[in-house]
Amino acid sequence: MNRRKFCRTAVAASVAAAIPVLPGCERKAPVATEADASLAAISLDGTEIELEKAAIKELGESMTGPVLLSGHADYDGARTIWNGMHDKRPALIARCMSSEDVSNAVTFARERNLLTAVRGGGHSWPGKSVCDDGLMIDLSQMNSVTADAETQRATAQGGALLSGLDAAALAKGMVTTAGVVSHTGVGGYTLGGGFGRLSRKYGLTIDNVTGAELVTADGKIRRISADEDADLFWAIRGGGGNFGVATAFEYQLHPFERNIFSGSLVWPLEQARDVLEFYAEWAPGLSDEMYAGPGMATLPDVGSIIAVDIVYNGDPAAGEKELAPLRKIGTPVLDAVTMQDYSVMQTNNDIAFGHGIRSYAKSGMVKEFTQGLVDAMIEAYDPRVFVGNHVAGGAVKRVGELDTAFPHRNAEIMIVMATGSHDPATDDELIAAARAYYKALEPFMGGYYDNIDFDGDEAPGNYGPAYERLRKIKGEYDPGNLFRLNSNIEPG
Ligand SMILES: Cc1cc2nc3c(=O)[nH]c(=O)nc-3n(C[C@H](O)[C@H](O)[C@H](O)COP(=O)(O)OP(=O)(O)OC[C@H]3O[C@@H](n4cnc5c(N)ncnc54)[C@H](O)[C@@H]3O)c2cc1C
């Protein structure tokens, strides 16, 4: 059967059947229940398969959420993810509203050996949450977050965003580690590790996960924790989406003052050597409360700068004192370190990293901020590449290498290299620039953060000593490797 012809028939049929409906009870079009032709799709091994009309209809009827087909008004919005470089068209999108919906979609995919992508917040740099011609399990509507002051726990559904997690926790006077762009999804972010500006005090986000609900490849909805399915619970804390669809996470919260001493110190790039050489000596002695991350960028109307991002999670007077030596370095053009509302700080990167940008990124873990690294960062600097960071050390480093599936515990900092453009014509040139900068810094880095890496093609090596155990668990819970659109672990 000709695949393209097949698709066209299905699309035409679904569009023709358009009658508005609400998920689950009334009618909405064109959704799976109205498919009046089979659909061409792709199997896990890349061969073409056919999804029978009756099976698609049955999936649609089994779900409370809609199964969107090409031509539905919500189809394009659902398949569009953050990075504008990825424009993929799933054969069908299961827009799940409940764990049972997820279970039905997983079973449908497993029984047909169907290529499957799982979409949480859609921020995957390499675009792994969407696929051509397969099934997209879309969690975007499963996005509620609740927090409880008494138990000091928050529960977030698998498609929630970090903004929701921060907001629910802050409303109860608490917080947990969350990343620096609030429209990132809790799903991929948490499963890969989770770096934020409070990591030095509270650890990575996975160090604050106390339990989860996971739909495994057999369709079973499992509640997992240190006491239930402990192997799985270990694996999802760093092993990404390899083990199933996380429909909920439970997080440990920490009492928190809403206002926080934070902001940036900025110098012209010419002063980068003074700043970075000072930083290399100063940073290893910093308290867990102090987050100080150096970055370089070239901004329109401003020019090239070096900045140190400061967040002090404690008494502001103590923060002022600890920061004082850095303030004496060179001549900053801007000192914006001041008291600010935590939620303002957590959203101040949201526009710069807005949806639709075409972005490439790489990262590397740094154990020691050496003179060689300082020289390389300055000599190889390319104004087309944004050089950022995530600071580690502190509580991140005190967790054992194999206590979770995230092994890069001895790094002091992660260097991030990213590009951004809205012009497809610049993709190749910008990717080459970021790769060249990465190459120059590579001798001073060891391993990378899978969540911030466009290539992420060194899965076994990068999981390090955690890999063998991960393979074994993968073999047990996903022997057919249904969940493969991630930093993939071969079933053992
Ligand atoms: C602008 C931006 C800022 C970022 N800032 C930070 C930061 O501060 N700290 C940090 O640590 N990282 C950061 N990241 C990286 C981020 O952690 C990853 O991009 C992460 O994968 C995003 O999760 P998501 O759910 O939004 O992504 P998605 O694209 O939805 O998914 C990413 C991967 O996770 C899988 N997945 C997602 N949700 C689930 C789920 N519920 N169950 C099973 N599998 C799932 C997907 O299948 C895919 O393989 C940032 C990324 C971007 C683009």
Side-chain angles (χ1 to χ4, degrees):
M1 163 84 55
N2 178 303
R3 208 169 123 249
R4 298 264 160 245
K5 217 154 100 194
F6 217 13
C7 277
R8 277 200 297 272
T9 322
V11 170
S14 350
V15 172
I19 307 163
V21 222
L22 292 172
C25 37
E26 299 103 292
R27 302 178 59 77
K28 184 169 184 175
V31 288
T33 40
E34 279 103 24
D36 53 346
S38 301
L39 278 184
I42 288 284
S43 73
L44 289 171
D45 61 13
T47 52
E48 294 184 4
I49 53 173
E50 183 180 330
L51 300 176
E52 295 295 336
K53 173 185 155 185
I56 300 168
K57 187 166 184 276
E58 201 178 311
L59 173 66
E61 286 169 351
S62 76
M63 295 205 9
T64 51
V67 177
L68 308 171
L69 306 179
S70 174
H72 187 280
D74 295 337
Y75 173 84
D76 283 328
R79 72 180 179 86
T80 303
I81 60 167
W82 173 82
N83 192 344
M85 281 193 191
H86 309 294
D87 179 21
K88 295 192 175 155
R89 303 185 65 85
L92 64 176
I93 300 175
R95 179 156 263 190
C96 299
M97 300 290 175
S98 66
S99 306
E100 288 71 26
D101 280 1
V102 173
S103 168
N104 290 336
V106 164
T107 301
F108 176 87
R110 189 198 62 248
E111 286 174 348
R112 287 159 188 82
N113 217 27
L114 176 62
L115 182 66
T116 301
V118 179
R119 182 214 161 102
H123 273 44
S124 164
W125 243 291
K128 300 219 165 131
S129 38
V130 63
C131 59
D132 275 327
D133 302 321
L135 167 70
M136 180 196 235
I137 296 181
D138 173 16
L139 303 177
S140 63
Q141 310 303 301
M142 292 176 63
N143 56 17
S144 79
V145 187
T146 55
D148 184 333
E150 212 163 292
T151 58
Q152 304 201 339
R153 299 277 163 91
T155 303
Q157 283 188 298
L161 304 183
L162 296 182
S163 54
L165 180 58
D166 273 344
L170 284 171
K172 299 286 162 84
M174 289 177 294
V175 77
T176 196
T177 302
V180 304
V181 172
S182 84
H183 44 72
T184 305
V186 299
Y189 165 85
T190 303
L191 296 166
F195 282 81
R197 289 176 283 207
L198 307 180
S199 295
R200 284 174 60 81
K201 181 104 179 240
Y202 305 135
L204 296 177
T205 301
I206 47 171
D207 304 330
N208 292 280
V209 172
T210 50
E213 187 185 77
L214 192 75
V215 178
T216 39
D218 54 7
K220 206 165 156 189
I221 303 170
R222 298 166 195 262
R223 162 78 216 170
I224 64 172
S225 67
D227 303 321
E228 299 159 274
D229 283 323
D231 262 1
L232 265 181
F233 183 60
W234 174 83
I236 64 152
R237 287 174 296 148
N242 271 286
F243 304 94
V245 183
T247 42
F249 298 94
E250 186 187 76
Y251 299 98
Q252 179 69 54
L253 302 177
H254 309 270
F256 189 72
E257 288 293 332
R258 209 184 157 101
N259 289 325
I260 188 155
F261 181 61
S262 57
S264 293
L265 267 170
V266 183
W267 298 258
L269 192 69
E270 295 71 48
Q271 296 181 41
R273 185 166 292 282
D274 291 345
V275 174
L276 290 178
E277 286 181 353
F278 172 80
Y279 180 84
E281 289 205 357
W282 179 65
L286 293 176
S287 66
D288 287 0
E289 282 74 17
M290 179 62 90
Y291 175 109
M296 299 191 279
T298 298
L299 308 169
D301 306 328
V302 175
S304 297
I305 52 135
I306 176 146
V308 180
D309 190 16
I310 299 292
V311 179
Y312 189 81
N313 180 14
D315 173 14
E320 290 271 9
K321 207 164 152 206
E322 199 165 353
L323 182 62
L326 180 64
R327 281 181 154 150
K328 291 195 187 114
I329 300 304
T331 317
V333 285
L334 178 72
D335 181 343
V337 187
T338 183
M339 292 303 288
Q340 60 177 322
D341 185 288
Y342 182 74
S343 60
V344 171
M345 183 190 89
Q346 284 289 82
T347 49
N348 63 14
N349 289 325
D350 282 9
I351 292 173
F353 291 92
H355 287 89
I357 194 166
R358 306 175 72 85
S359 183
Y360 176 85
K362 287 193 83 62
S363 65
M365 311 303 293
V366 172
K367 290 188 192 118
E368 204 188 338
F369 213 93
T370 58
Q371 184 64 47
L373 176 62
V374 170
D375 293 343
M377 284 176 79
I378 295 168
E379 282 156 25
Y381 177 70
D382 182 325
R384 294 168 296 180
V385 181
F386 164 77
V387 184
N389 63 82
H390 278 288
V391 183
V396 178
K397 206 171 180 175
R398 289 194 289 273
V399 174
E401 191 184 33
L402 292 175
D403 286 358
T404 65
F406 180 85
H408 304 288
R409 293 289 179 172
N410 56 10
E412 287 293 338
I413 190 167
M414 175 210 313
I415 310 260
V416 175
M417 296 130 248
T419 62
S421 161
H422 287 279
D423 180 2
T426 60
D427 286 353
D428 290 348
E429 172 207 326
L430 293 180
I431 290 172
R435 284 188 177 147
Y437 193 69
Y438 176 82
K439 204 87 204 130
L441 270 54
E442 201 175 13
F444 309 100
M445 305 186 297
Y448 58 89
Y449 178 42
D450 188 68
N451 266 353
I452 303 187
D453 203 283
F454 195 99
D455 302 323
D457 48 7
E458 293 159 34
N462 200 47
Y463 284 117
Y467 191 66
E468 275 316 306
R469 185 172 173 197
L470 285 167
R471 273 194 73 192
K472 200 164 155 271
I473 300 168
K474 175 82 173 173
E476 199 174 324
Y477 291 97
D478 185 16
N481 203 1
L482 177 66
F483 302 110
R484 63 178 59 198
L485 293 180
N486 41 49
S487 190
N488 198 232
I489 295 161
E490 288 276 331

